[in-house]
Amino acid sequence: HGGSSCCCVLTTSEYGWSANMGRIMKAQVLRDSPMTSCMVSKKTMGINSKNSVMCELKEKAAADKSGKTVKDLIWLLFDNSLLTSGCNLDEPTRFAGRIHRMIKLDLTYVNGSRRLVDNTTHFLGASLGP
């Protein structure tokens, strides 16, 4: 996953369960909670600071420190890293909500200029609400 094409990657420690084993154990009915917490691998998010996505995100974050869009983008990067590493999302509806907000935001801009889109805009048969 290294290289300049990847903006971030999630890695786990050498010891502990893999993402797949963690999913299996989480689904077990008679699991031992202290053992489960002990065996869960610690996750580390690595960021490629030379990637164009990360450079642009850094500029946007510096310009608007409390912007919801920047926060959504950061969470999307983290959630995407979780998914590509084989982990499950704790809150998939929040992930879906962020995706929908980004799609809606993108649809409000055409060729770099803002265009008005109401909350009932239909795209491929799906309603894009708030």
Side-chain angles (χ1 to χ4, degrees), residues 2-120:
S4 62
S5 65
C6 185
C7 58
C8 56
V9 65
L10 200 67
T11 58
T12 57
S13 64
E14 182 179 350
Y15 304 102
W17 291 328
S18 66
N20 191 41
M21 187 62 180
R23 262 195 322 274
I24 292 168
M25 293 306 291
K26 193 174 186 179
Q28 296 298 313
V29 176
L30 299 173
R31 66 174 186 246
D32 182 17
S33 291
M35 183 192 77
T36 301
S37 62
C38 176
M39 292 303 293
V40 172
S41 294
K42 302 296 181 214
K43 295 169 190 68
T44 303
M45 186 166 177
I47 296 173
N48 182 354
S49 61
K50 295 178 182 168
N51 182 274
S52 61
V53 171
M54 298 309 289
C55 291
E56 184 70 26
L57 187 58
K58 182 179 177 183
E59 287 177 19
K60 285 191 181 297
D64 187 10
K65 295 185 188 311
S66 63
K68 185 159 179 61
T69 301
V70 172
K71 289 179 185 176
D72 278 346
L73 289 170
I74 292 168
W75 275 109
L76 282 173
L77 286 172
F78 177 73
D79 289 343
N80 185 53
S81 296
L82 279 173
L83 290 172
T84 56
S85 68
C87 298
N88 286 334
L89 298 177
D90 290 333
E91 299 179 37
T93 53
R94 279 196 160 172
F95 175 72
R98 287 185 190 105
I99 293 280
H100 288 192
R101 280 193 298 278
M102 292 299 111
I103 291 170
K104 186 176 176 182
L105 181 66
D106 186 56
L107 290 175
T108 61
Y109 288 88
V110 176
N111 296 328
S113 61
R114 185 164 170 75
R115 134 182 108 108
L116 296 177
V117 175
D118 65 12
N119 287 340
T120 59

